[in-house]
Amino acid sequence: MDTPIYNYVQKYAAKNGARFHMPGHKGAEILGCESLDITEISGADSLYEADGIIAESEKNAASLFGTAKTLYSAEGSTQCIKAMLYLAVTAEESREKPIVVAARNVHKSFVQAAALLDFEVVWLWDENREFSLCRCEITPEQLENTLKGLDRKPAAVYLTSPDYLGGTADIKALGDVAHNFSVPLLVDNAHGAYLAFLDEPCHPMRLGADICCDSAHKTLPVLTGGAYLHISEKAAPFFRENAKGAMELFGSTSPSYIILQSLDLANKYIAAGYPQKLRACVDKVSRLKRQLKKSGWKVYDSDPLKLTVRASDSGYDGRELAELLRENGIECEYADPDFTVFMFTPENRESDFRALTEFFTGTPARQALKKDILYMKLPEQIISIREAVFSKTERLNAENSAGRILGRTAVSCPPAVPVVVSGEKINEDAVKIFKRYGIKYVDAVL
Ligand SMILES: Cc1ncc(COP(=O)(O)O)c(C=O)c1O
Protein backbone atom coordinates (compact mmCIF):
# COMPACT_ATOMS: atom_id res chain seq x y z
CA MET A 1 0.00 0.00 0.00
CA ASP A 2 1.13 3.51 -0.84
CA THR A 3 2.41 5.78 1.97
CA PRO A 4 2.12 9.31 0.52
CA ILE A 5 2.73 11.31 3.72
CA TYR A 6 5.76 9.29 4.73
CA ASN A 7 7.21 9.39 1.19
CA TYR A 8 6.80 13.13 0.93
CA VAL A 9 8.53 13.82 4.27
CA GLN A 10 11.37 11.38 3.53
CA LYS A 11 12.10 13.19 0.27
CA TYR A 12 11.87 16.58 1.90
CA ALA A 13 14.20 15.60 4.76
CA ALA A 14 16.71 14.02 2.36
CA LYS A 15 16.98 17.33 0.45
CA ASN A 16 18.28 18.89 3.67
CA GLY A 17 17.24 22.35 2.40
CA ALA A 18 17.07 25.64 4.25
CA ARG A 19 13.99 25.57 6.52
CA PHE A 20 12.51 29.01 6.98
CA HIS A 21 9.29 27.58 8.35
CA MET A 22 8.04 26.14 11.59
CA PRO A 23 8.87 24.11 13.72
CA GLY A 24 11.62 26.06 15.47
CA HIS A 25 14.08 23.15 15.59
CA LYS A 26 14.55 23.53 11.77
CA GLY A 27 15.22 19.83 11.49
CA ALA A 28 18.25 19.88 13.84
CA GLU A 29 18.54 16.46 15.49
CA ILE A 30 18.17 17.14 19.19
CA LEU A 31 15.65 14.50 20.14
CA GLY A 32 16.48 12.57 16.98
CA CYS A 33 13.30 12.81 14.91
CA GLU A 34 13.24 16.54 14.13
CA SER A 35 14.16 16.22 10.44
CA LEU A 36 10.85 14.38 9.92
CA ASP A 37 8.80 16.91 11.88
CA ILE A 38 7.44 19.39 9.36
CA THR A 39 4.50 21.75 8.96
CA GLU A 40 2.01 22.55 6.18
CA ILE A 41 4.57 23.55 3.55
CA SER A 42 3.83 23.37 -0.18
CA GLY A 43 2.95 19.79 -1.14
CA ALA A 44 2.48 18.64 2.46
CA ASP A 45 -1.33 19.09 2.39
CA SER A 46 -3.24 20.30 5.47
CA LEU A 47 -5.12 17.99 7.83
CA TYR A 48 -8.37 19.97 8.00
CA GLU A 49 -8.43 21.01 4.30
CA ALA A 50 -6.96 17.76 3.03
CA ASP A 51 -6.96 17.31 -0.74
CA GLY A 52 -3.44 15.97 -1.31
CA ILE A 53 -1.22 13.42 0.40
CA ILE A 54 -3.22 13.41 3.65
CA ALA A 55 -6.54 12.91 1.81
CA GLU A 56 -4.92 10.07 -0.15
CA SER A 57 -3.63 8.41 3.00
CA GLU A 58 -6.99 8.77 4.77
CA LYS A 59 -8.64 7.06 1.78
CA ASN A 60 -6.17 4.19 2.15
CA ALA A 61 -7.20 3.87 5.81
CA ALA A 62 -10.91 3.96 4.88
CA SER A 63 -10.40 1.13 2.38
CA LEU A 64 -8.64 -0.99 5.01
CA PHE A 65 -11.32 -0.39 7.64
CA GLY A 66 -14.15 -0.68 5.08
CA THR A 67 -15.70 2.67 5.97
CA ALA A 68 -17.27 5.40 3.85
CA LYS A 69 -14.83 7.87 5.36
CA THR A 70 -11.94 7.70 7.81
CA LEU A 71 -10.28 10.84 9.18
CA TYR A 72 -6.96 11.10 10.98
CA SER A 73 -6.45 12.65 14.37
CA ALA A 74 -3.05 13.52 15.80
CA GLU A 75 -4.77 14.29 19.13
CA GLY A 76 -6.22 10.97 20.08
CA SER A 77 -9.74 9.69 20.45
CA THR A 78 -10.23 12.62 22.82
CA GLN A 79 -10.55 14.90 19.77
CA CYS A 80 -12.66 12.39 17.80
CA ILE A 81 -15.14 11.93 20.66
CA LYS A 82 -15.83 15.65 20.83
CA ALA A 83 -16.11 15.81 17.03
CA MET A 84 -18.56 12.93 16.78
CA LEU A 85 -20.76 14.36 19.51
CA TYR A 86 -20.67 17.76 17.80
CA LEU A 87 -21.84 16.11 14.58
CA ALA A 88 -24.65 14.28 16.38
CA VAL A 89 -26.00 17.32 18.22
CA THR A 90 -25.83 19.62 15.18
CA ALA A 91 -27.24 17.12 12.66
CA GLU A 92 -30.84 18.14 13.25
CA GLU A 93 -32.03 21.66 13.84
CA SER A 94 -33.94 22.07 17.06
CA ARG A 95 -34.57 24.83 19.54
CA GLU A 96 -34.47 22.36 22.40
CA LYS A 97 -31.37 21.26 24.23
CA PRO A 98 -30.11 18.04 22.60
CA ILE A 99 -30.13 14.78 24.56
CA VAL A 100 -27.51 12.04 24.30
CA VAL A 101 -28.30 8.61 25.78
CA ALA A 102 -25.03 7.15 27.06
CA ALA A 103 -23.83 4.10 28.94
CA ARG A 104 -22.30 5.53 32.10
CA ASN A 105 -18.72 4.21 31.66
CA VAL A 106 -17.71 7.12 29.44
CA HIS A 107 -14.19 8.48 29.16
CA LYS A 108 -13.88 12.00 30.58
CA SER A 109 -13.69 13.49 27.07
CA PHE A 110 -17.41 12.72 26.75
CA VAL A 111 -18.12 14.91 29.78
CA GLN A 112 -15.87 17.64 28.37
CA ALA A 113 -17.89 17.45 25.14
CA ALA A 114 -21.16 17.74 27.09
CA ALA A 115 -19.83 20.90 28.76
CA LEU A 116 -18.59 22.45 25.52
CA LEU A 117 -21.63 21.50 23.44
CA ASP A 118 -24.20 21.90 26.26
CA PHE A 119 -26.18 18.73 25.70
CA GLU A 120 -28.18 16.83 28.29
CA VAL A 121 -27.21 13.24 29.11
CA VAL A 122 -29.61 10.42 29.92
CA TRP A 123 -27.44 7.79 31.54
CA LEU A 124 -27.83 4.06 31.02
CA TRP A 125 -26.89 2.51 34.35
CA ASP A 126 -27.93 -0.46 36.45
CA GLU A 127 -27.96 0.47 40.16
CA ASN A 128 -28.52 -3.17 41.14
CA ARG A 129 -25.23 -4.41 39.72
CA GLU A 130 -22.06 -4.43 41.80
CA PHE A 131 -20.17 -1.21 41.04
CA SER A 132 -17.14 -1.40 38.82
CA LEU A 133 -15.61 1.79 37.47
CA CYS A 134 -14.99 0.63 33.91
CA ARG A 135 -17.97 -1.61 33.29
CA CYS A 136 -21.51 -0.76 32.27
CA GLU A 137 -23.40 -3.64 30.74
CA ILE A 138 -26.49 -2.53 28.87
CA THR A 139 -29.22 -4.78 27.50
CA PRO A 140 -31.18 -3.98 24.33
CA GLU A 141 -34.38 -4.00 26.46
CA GLN A 142 -32.90 -1.40 28.82
CA LEU A 143 -31.99 0.82 25.87
CA GLU A 144 -35.40 0.33 24.28
CA ASN A 145 -37.23 1.23 27.50
CA THR A 146 -35.04 4.33 27.94
CA LEU A 147 -35.68 5.50 24.38
CA LYS A 148 -39.43 4.85 24.74
CA GLY A 149 -39.51 6.88 27.94
CA LEU A 150 -38.00 10.07 26.46
CA ASP A 151 -40.23 12.99 25.56
CA ARG A 152 -38.08 13.89 22.54
CA LYS A 153 -35.78 12.13 20.15
CA PRO A 154 -32.18 12.04 21.35
CA ALA A 155 -29.33 13.14 19.12
CA ALA A 156 -27.44 9.88 19.66
CA VAL A 157 -26.96 6.68 21.60
CA TYR A 158 -23.36 6.52 22.84
CA LEU A 159 -21.46 3.40 23.93
CA THR A 160 -17.92 2.69 25.09
CA SER A 161 -16.75 -0.67 23.79
CA PRO A 162 -14.31 -2.28 24.49
CA ASP A 163 -14.03 -0.75 27.94
CA TYR A 164 -10.77 -0.46 29.88
CA LEU A 165 -11.14 -4.02 31.22
CA GLY A 166 -11.81 -5.37 27.75
CA GLY A 167 -15.56 -5.86 28.25
CA THR A 168 -17.56 -5.43 25.05
CA ALA A 169 -21.11 -4.28 24.36
CA ASP A 170 -23.59 -6.05 22.09
CA ILE A 171 -23.20 -3.33 19.47
CA LYS A 172 -25.26 -5.11 16.83
CA ALA A 173 -28.32 -5.52 19.07
CA LEU A 174 -28.01 -2.08 20.69
CA GLY A 175 -27.48 -0.46 17.27
CA ASP A 176 -30.63 -2.15 15.95
CA VAL A 177 -32.62 -0.68 18.85
CA ALA A 178 -31.17 2.81 18.31
CA HIS A 179 -31.88 2.62 14.56
CA ASN A 180 -35.49 1.50 15.19
CA PHE A 181 -35.91 4.88 16.86
CA SER A 182 -34.00 6.59 13.98
CA VAL A 183 -31.23 7.53 16.39
CA PRO A 184 -27.55 7.21 15.30
CA LEU A 185 -25.19 4.98 17.26
CA LEU A 186 -21.84 6.50 18.29
CA VAL A 187 -19.15 4.21 19.69
CA ASP A 188 -16.01 5.03 21.61
CA ASN A 189 -13.87 2.19 20.25
CA ALA A 190 -10.62 3.74 21.52
CA HIS A 191 -9.45 0.28 22.64
CA GLY A 192 -10.52 -1.62 19.54
CA ALA A 193 -8.90 -0.40 16.29
CA TYR A 194 -7.56 -3.92 15.73
CA LEU A 195 -11.01 -5.50 15.85
CA ALA A 196 -11.44 -4.70 12.13
CA PHE A 197 -8.72 -7.22 11.27
CA LEU A 198 -9.80 -10.30 13.20
CA ASP A 199 -10.97 -13.39 11.30
CA GLU A 200 -14.49 -12.56 12.41
CA PRO A 201 -14.45 -8.78 12.30
CA CYS A 202 -16.21 -7.30 15.29
CA HIS A 203 -15.23 -3.67 14.85
CA PRO A 204 -18.17 -1.34 15.68
CA MET A 205 -18.29 -0.13 12.05
CA ARG A 206 -19.01 -3.70 10.92
CA LEU A 207 -21.64 -4.15 13.61
CA GLY A 208 -23.78 -1.14 12.80
CA ALA A 209 -22.23 1.96 14.41
CA ASP A 210 -22.80 5.18 12.47
CA ILE A 211 -19.61 6.81 13.71
CA CYS A 212 -16.83 5.60 15.93
CA CYS A 213 -13.36 6.55 17.05
CA ASP A 214 -10.31 4.30 17.43
CA SER A 215 -7.11 5.23 19.20
CA ALA A 216 -4.74 3.77 16.62
CA HIS A 217 -1.96 4.23 19.18
CA LYS A 218 -3.56 1.89 21.73
CA THR A 219 -3.62 -1.35 19.72
CA LEU A 220 -1.77 -0.69 16.44
CA PRO A 221 1.91 0.24 16.04
CA VAL A 222 1.17 3.97 15.85
CA LEU A 223 2.69 6.81 17.85
CA THR A 224 0.78 8.18 20.86
CA GLY A 225 -1.91 10.58 19.69
CA GLY A 226 -2.67 8.83 16.40
CA ALA A 227 -6.39 8.05 16.07
CA TYR A 228 -9.19 7.58 13.54
CA LEU A 229 -12.70 8.91 13.22
CA HIS A 230 -14.70 6.47 11.09
CA ILE A 231 -18.01 7.25 9.41
CA SER A 232 -20.32 4.59 8.01
CA GLU A 233 -21.89 4.51 4.56
CA LYS A 234 -25.28 4.25 6.30
CA ALA A 235 -24.79 7.38 8.44
CA ALA A 236 -26.59 10.56 7.41
CA PRO A 237 -24.58 12.40 4.69
CA PHE A 238 -24.35 15.35 7.12
CA PHE A 239 -21.79 13.39 9.16
CA ARG A 240 -19.47 12.83 6.21
CA GLU A 241 -19.85 16.33 4.85
CA ASN A 242 -19.11 18.05 8.15
CA ALA A 243 -16.63 15.68 9.75
CA LYS A 244 -13.47 17.63 8.89
CA GLY A 245 -14.98 20.84 10.24
CA ALA A 246 -15.98 19.02 13.43
CA MET A 247 -12.46 17.69 13.94
CA GLU A 248 -10.98 21.11 13.27
CA LEU A 249 -13.18 22.64 15.95
CA PHE A 250 -11.44 20.58 18.64
CA GLY A 251 -7.95 20.26 17.19
CA SER A 252 -4.74 22.25 17.09
CA THR A 253 -3.86 24.14 13.91
CA SER A 254 -0.46 22.41 14.17
CA PRO A 255 -1.16 18.66 14.02
CA SER A 256 2.00 16.59 14.30
CA TYR A 257 3.37 15.34 10.98
CA ILE A 258 5.34 12.73 12.89
CA ILE A 259 2.05 11.24 14.08
CA LEU A 260 0.47 11.61 10.63
CA GLN A 261 3.41 9.68 9.10
CA SER A 262 2.94 7.02 11.72
CA LEU A 263 -0.76 6.68 10.76
CA ASP A 264 0.26 6.61 7.09
CA LEU A 265 2.78 3.81 7.66
CA ALA A 266 0.22 1.85 9.68
CA ASN A 267 -1.78 1.44 6.44
CA LYS A 268 1.17 -0.30 4.81
CA TYR A 269 1.75 -2.38 7.95
CA ILE A 270 -1.91 -3.48 8.03
CA ALA A 271 -2.00 -4.29 4.30
CA ALA A 272 1.20 -6.34 4.54
CA GLY A 273 -0.08 -9.32 6.51
CA TYR A 274 -1.28 -7.75 9.77
CA PRO A 275 -4.36 -10.02 10.05
CA GLN A 276 -2.06 -13.08 10.08
CA LYS A 277 0.20 -11.57 12.75
CA LEU A 278 -2.89 -10.61 14.74
CA ARG A 279 -4.29 -14.14 14.54
CA ALA A 280 -1.03 -15.57 15.87
CA CYS A 281 -0.97 -13.03 18.70
CA VAL A 282 -4.61 -13.68 19.63
CA ASP A 283 -3.86 -17.43 19.77
CA LYS A 284 -0.91 -16.82 22.09
CA VAL A 285 -2.98 -14.59 24.38
CA SER A 286 -5.76 -17.24 24.51
CA ARG A 287 -3.20 -19.90 25.39
CA LEU A 288 -1.80 -17.67 28.11
CA LYS A 289 -5.29 -17.10 29.54
CA ARG A 290 -5.86 -20.88 29.65
CA GLN A 291 -2.51 -21.39 31.40
CA LEU A 292 -3.36 -18.79 34.04
CA LYS A 293 -6.74 -20.35 34.69
CA LYS A 294 -5.09 -23.78 35.05
CA SER A 295 -2.75 -22.27 37.65
CA GLY A 296 -5.72 -21.06 39.68
CA TRP A 297 -5.87 -17.41 38.55
CA LYS A 298 -9.26 -15.89 37.86
CA VAL A 299 -9.39 -14.26 34.45
CA TYR A 300 -12.02 -11.79 33.22
CA ASP A 301 -13.75 -12.39 29.91
CA SER A 302 -12.14 -9.65 27.81
CA ASP A 303 -11.53 -8.66 24.20
CA PRO A 304 -8.89 -10.87 22.52
CA LEU A 305 -5.86 -8.55 22.94
CA LYS A 306 -6.38 -7.93 26.65
CA LEU A 307 -5.61 -10.12 29.61
CA THR A 308 -7.56 -8.91 32.62
CA VAL A 309 -6.70 -10.75 35.80
CA ARG A 310 -9.44 -10.70 38.44
CA ALA A 311 -6.89 -9.86 41.07
CA SER A 312 -9.07 -9.60 44.19
CA ASP A 313 -10.85 -12.85 43.26
CA SER A 314 -7.35 -14.39 42.98
CA GLY A 315 -6.33 -13.14 46.44
CA TYR A 316 -4.45 -9.93 45.54
CA ASP A 317 -5.20 -6.24 45.42
CA GLY A 318 -4.72 -5.44 41.71
CA ARG A 319 -2.27 -2.67 42.57
CA GLU A 320 -0.23 -4.99 44.80
CA LEU A 321 -0.08 -7.47 41.92
CA ALA A 322 1.06 -4.68 39.57
CA GLU A 323 3.85 -3.83 42.00
CA LEU A 324 4.99 -7.47 42.21
CA LEU A 325 5.05 -7.60 38.42
CA ARG A 326 7.03 -4.35 38.29
CA GLU A 327 9.65 -5.91 40.56
CA ASN A 328 9.92 -8.64 37.92
CA GLY A 329 10.40 -6.18 35.05
CA ILE A 330 6.80 -6.37 33.84
CA GLU A 331 4.64 -3.24 33.52
CA CYS A 332 0.89 -3.66 33.14
CA GLU A 333 -1.51 -1.20 31.49
CA TYR A 334 -3.83 -0.64 34.41
CA ALA A 335 -4.48 -1.82 37.94
CA ASP A 336 -7.19 -1.08 40.48
CA PRO A 337 -8.19 -2.92 43.66
CA ASP A 338 -9.97 -5.64 41.67
CA PHE A 339 -8.25 -5.94 38.32
CA THR A 340 -4.84 -5.96 36.67
CA VAL A 341 -4.96 -5.38 32.92
CA PHE A 342 -2.37 -6.29 30.27
CA MET A 343 -2.57 -5.17 26.64
CA PHE A 344 -0.92 -7.23 23.89
CA THR A 345 -0.11 -6.63 20.24
CA PRO A 346 1.90 -8.63 17.70
CA GLU A 347 4.78 -6.30 18.62
CA ASN A 348 5.16 -8.06 22.00
CA ARG A 349 8.23 -10.31 21.97
CA GLU A 350 8.27 -14.02 22.77
CA SER A 351 10.27 -13.08 25.85
CA ASP A 352 7.41 -10.80 27.02
CA PHE A 353 4.99 -13.73 26.87
CA ARG A 354 7.54 -15.94 28.63
CA ALA A 355 8.05 -13.44 31.44
CA LEU A 356 4.32 -13.15 32.07
CA THR A 357 3.80 -16.93 31.93
CA GLU A 358 6.68 -17.52 34.34
CA PHE A 359 5.36 -14.90 36.75
CA PHE A 360 1.85 -16.29 36.88
CA THR A 361 2.79 -19.96 36.96
CA GLY A 362 5.40 -19.23 39.65
CA THR A 363 3.23 -17.00 41.85
CA PRO A 364 0.45 -18.75 43.74
CA ALA A 365 -3.14 -17.58 43.32
CA ARG A 366 -4.73 -17.24 46.76
CA GLN A 367 -8.16 -17.28 48.38
CA ALA A 368 -10.38 -14.48 47.12
CA LEU A 369 -10.02 -11.30 49.17
CA LYS A 370 -12.92 -10.31 51.39
CA LYS A 371 -14.18 -6.96 50.21
CA ASP A 372 -17.15 -4.64 50.52
CA ILE A 373 -19.43 -5.02 47.56
CA LEU A 374 -20.18 -1.48 46.44
CA TYR A 375 -23.29 -0.24 44.66
CA MET A 376 -23.85 3.17 43.22
CA LYS A 377 -27.15 5.01 43.12
CA LEU A 378 -27.01 7.32 40.14
CA PRO A 379 -26.30 10.76 41.65
CA GLU A 380 -28.95 13.43 41.22
CA GLN A 381 -28.16 16.01 38.50
CA ILE A 382 -28.64 19.41 40.12
CA ILE A 383 -27.21 21.74 37.47
CA SER A 384 -26.16 21.07 33.89
CA ILE A 385 -22.73 19.67 33.10
CA ARG A 386 -21.91 22.92 31.34
CA GLU A 387 -22.97 25.11 34.28
CA ALA A 388 -20.95 22.97 36.67
CA VAL A 389 -17.79 22.92 34.54
CA PHE A 390 -17.92 26.71 34.14
CA SER A 391 -18.67 27.36 37.85
CA LYS A 392 -16.25 28.61 40.48
CA THR A 393 -15.19 25.67 42.63
CA GLU A 394 -13.32 24.83 45.81
CA ARG A 395 -11.06 21.84 46.31
CA LEU A 396 -12.27 19.44 49.03
CA ASN A 397 -11.09 16.20 50.50
CA ALA A 398 -13.18 13.64 48.65
CA GLU A 399 -14.16 11.99 51.95
CA ASN A 400 -15.90 15.22 53.08
CA SER A 401 -17.66 15.93 49.81
CA ALA A 402 -21.06 14.22 50.26
CA GLY A 403 -23.92 16.58 49.56
CA ARG A 404 -21.86 18.94 47.40
CA ILE A 405 -22.26 19.46 43.66
CA LEU A 406 -19.30 18.36 41.56
CA GLY A 407 -17.61 21.00 39.39
CA ARG A 408 -15.00 19.67 37.01
CA THR A 409 -15.14 15.90 36.88
CA ALA A 410 -12.94 13.95 39.30
CA VAL A 411 -11.27 10.93 37.75
CA SER A 412 -8.34 8.70 38.35
CA CYS A 413 -6.38 8.32 35.11
CA PRO A 414 -6.28 5.71 33.75
CA PRO A 415 -9.11 4.83 33.21
CA ALA A 416 -10.38 8.45 33.29
CA VAL A 417 -13.96 7.24 33.80
CA PRO A 418 -15.89 9.62 36.08
CA VAL A 419 -17.55 8.27 39.23
CA VAL A 420 -19.62 11.43 39.60
CA VAL A 421 -20.29 13.71 36.65
CA SER A 422 -20.09 17.52 36.77
CA GLY A 423 -23.33 19.03 38.09
CA GLU A 424 -24.31 15.94 40.09
CA LYS A 425 -24.74 15.89 43.87
CA ILE A 426 -22.07 13.67 45.39
CA ASN A 427 -23.80 10.90 47.37
CA GLU A 428 -22.53 8.57 50.11
CA ASP A 429 -22.04 5.73 47.61
CA ALA A 430 -19.77 7.97 45.55
CA VAL A 431 -17.66 8.90 48.59
CA LYS A 432 -17.00 5.18 49.28
CA ILE A 433 -16.12 4.68 45.61
CA PHE A 434 -13.73 7.68 45.58
CA LYS A 435 -11.92 6.01 48.47
CA ARG A 436 -11.77 2.64 46.74
CA TYR A 437 -10.29 4.11 43.55
CA GLY A 438 -7.86 6.46 45.28
CA ILE A 439 -9.61 9.74 44.37
CA LYS A 440 -8.47 12.07 47.14
CA TYR A 441 -9.79 15.49 46.08
CA VAL A 442 -12.81 16.84 44.25
CA ASP A 443 -13.66 20.31 42.97
CA ALA A 444 -17.06 21.24 44.39
CA VAL A 445 -19.23 24.07 43.04
CA LEU A 446 -19.22 27.12 45.34
C1 LIG B 1 -12.33 4.34 26.67
C2 LIG B 1 -11.45 5.47 26.24
N1 LIG B 1 -11.94 6.39 25.41
C3 LIG B 1 -11.19 7.44 24.98
C4 LIG B 1 -9.90 7.58 25.40
C5 LIG B 1 -9.09 8.74 24.91
O1 LIG B 1 -8.21 8.27 23.95
P1 LIG B 1 -6.89 9.08 23.51
O2 LIG B 1 -5.89 8.86 24.58
O3 LIG B 1 -6.53 8.44 22.21
O4 LIG B 1 -7.27 10.51 23.35
C6 LIG B 1 -9.35 6.64 26.29
C7 LIG B 1 -7.96 6.80 26.77
O5 LIG B 1 -7.41 6.01 27.45
C8 LIG B 1 -10.15 5.57 26.72
O6 LIG B 1 -9.67 4.65 27.57
Side-chain angles (χ1 to χ4, degrees):
M1 178 161 276
D2 200 14
T3 52
I5 309 177
Y6 173 76
N7 297 352
Y8 171 88
V9 180
Q10 284 290 321
K11 253 197 217 151
Y12 181 70
K15 272 199 270 176
N16 196 21
R19 296 191 184 202
F20 293 105
H21 59 74
M22 295 181 268
H25 54 63
K26 308 294 178 186
E29 300 276 329
I30 300 162
L31 180 63
C33 56
E34 287 85 348
S35 66
L36 303 178
D37 183 32
I38 61 160
T39 186
E40 289 88 353
I41 51 176
S42 172
D45 209 358
S46 175
L47 181 57
Y48 300 117
E49 295 96 34
D51 58 4
I53 56 173
I54 296 177
E56 210 184 307
S57 182
E58 287 180 324
K59 272 200 195 122
N60 288 342
S63 78
L64 291 167
F65 281 90
T67 61
K69 193 163 190 148
T70 289
L71 277 65
Y72 288 161
S73 164
E75 295 170 74
S77 285
T78 298
Q79 179 190 20
C80 305
I81 286 169
K82 290 171 187 160
M84 65 182 173
L85 286 160
Y86 168 83
L87 288 168
V89 301
T90 55
E92 285 185 25
E93 257 179 64
S94 163
R95 283 174 190 279
E96 288 179 295
K97 196 166 173 168
I99 297 175
V100 174
V101 175
R104 177 77 174 188
N105 57 341
V106 291
H107 181 258
K108 68 176 175 182
S109 52
F110 175 92
V111 180
Q112 292 163 349
L116 296 170
L117 300 167
D118 198 16
F119 58 77
E120 201 179 300
V121 187
V122 172
W123 294 110
L124 297 164
W125 180 244
D126 187 347
E127 297 183 340
N128 299 317
R129 268 184 205 268
E130 178 185 351
F131 180 85
S132 170
L133 187 57
C134 303
R135 280 184 304 187
C136 183
E137 285 155 48
I138 301 301
T139 64
E141 295 71 37
Q142 198 180 348
L143 177 60
E144 182 159 9
N145 290 337
T146 303
L147 292 173
K148 272 187 191 153
L150 296 176
D151 59 6
R152 57 186 196 275
K153 194 175 115 175
V157 168
Y158 182 95
L159 302 173
T160 303
S161 174
D163 61 36
Y164 224 102
L165 301 180
T168 51
D170 186 349
I171 291 173
K172 169 84 181 68
L174 294 165
D176 286 348
V177 173
H179 293 145
N180 285 342
F181 286 80
S182 304
V183 176
L185 177 68
L186 278 47
V187 179
D188 171 353
N189 181 52
H191 288 253
Y194 78 96
L195 296 172
F197 307 105
L198 289 173
D199 290 340
E200 255 185 68
C202 46
H203 189 280
M205 297 310 285
R206 304 276 175 100
L207 299 178
D210 293 274
I211 319 188
C212 95
C213 68
D214 304 346
S215 297
H217 67 92
K218 291 195 198 303
T219 61
L220 296 173
V222 168
L223 292 177
T224 297
Y228 309 109
L229 180 70
H230 301 295
I231 303 172
S232 149
E233 187 73 63
K234 294 196 195 107
F238 176 88
F239 291 145
R240 276 196 294 283
E241 288 157 13
N242 293 280
K244 272 283 174 192
M247 292 286 271
E248 184 177 24
L249 196 57
F250 301 103
S252 162
T253 51
S254 304
S256 161
Y257 267 83
I258 300 262
I259 297 173
L260 294 177
Q261 286 168 82
S262 178
L263 285 163
D264 191 35
L265 284 178
N267 292 335
K268 188 172 172 185
Y269 169 91
I270 291 167
Y274 172 63
Q276 290 81 343
K277 286 190 205 166
L278 179 63
R279 188 183 307 131
C281 181
V282 165
D283 286 350
K284 280 196 284 186
V285 177
S286 310
R287 262 201 307 279
L288 180 62
K289 286 179 184 175
R290 284 198 297 275
Q291 259 174 313
L292 260 66
K293 284 182 194 166
K294 246 171 95 184
S295 306
W297 290 89
K298 302 286 185 288
V299 175
Y300 183 75
D301 190 14
S302 66
D303 74 78
L305 284 191
K306 278 203 179 79
L307 163 67
T308 299
V309 175
R310 288 163 44 200
S312 57
D313 289 340
S314 309
Y316 293 80
D317 181 301
R319 295 160 301 187
E320 174 199 358
L321 192 57
E323 195 47 51
L324 287 175
L325 284 149
R326 200 165 291 129
E327 285 165 15
N328 283 271
I330 299 167
E331 193 64 39
C332 67
E333 164 59 30
Y334 168 67
D336 70 19
D338 295 313
F339 298 102
T340 311
V341 179
F342 306 83
M343 290 176 77
F344 295 84
T345 75
E347 270 39 67
N348 279 110
R349 301 159 299 186
E350 278 304 326
S351 56
D352 299 343
F353 279 90
R354 232 181 3 257
L356 210 52
T357 310
E358 278 168 14
F359 177 87
F360 278 108
T361 50
T363 308
R366 305 189 291 221
Q367 280 251 308
L369 295 183
K370 286 207 176 70
K371 55 176 182 177
D372 280 344
I373 308 275
L374 297 175
Y375 294 91
M376 168 99 162
K377 277 220 172 330
L378 198 61
E380 193 185 349
Q381 186 89 35
I382 307 293
I383 57 176
S384 74
I385 294 178
R386 183 180 176 86
E387 266 180 281
V389 167
F390 287 90
S391 293
K392 291 267 179 292
T393 55
E394 65 174 332
R395 182 144 287 203
L396 299 177
N397 277 328
E399 58 192 302
N400 302 327
S401 64
R404 298 293 300 268
I405 299 171
L406 188 74
R408 280 183 306 277
T409 290
V411 294
S412 53
C413 188
V417 177
V419 176
V420 178
V421 167
S422 309
E424 290 178 344
K425 191 198 260 186
I426 299 166
N427 59 26
E428 294 292 346
D429 292 345
V431 171
K432 285 190 202 146
I433 291 164
F434 287 153
K435 186 158 181 225
R436 188 160 179 84
Y437 288 94
I439 296 169
K440 293 199 173 68
Y441 302 101
V442 297
D443 293 319
V445 171
L446 280 169

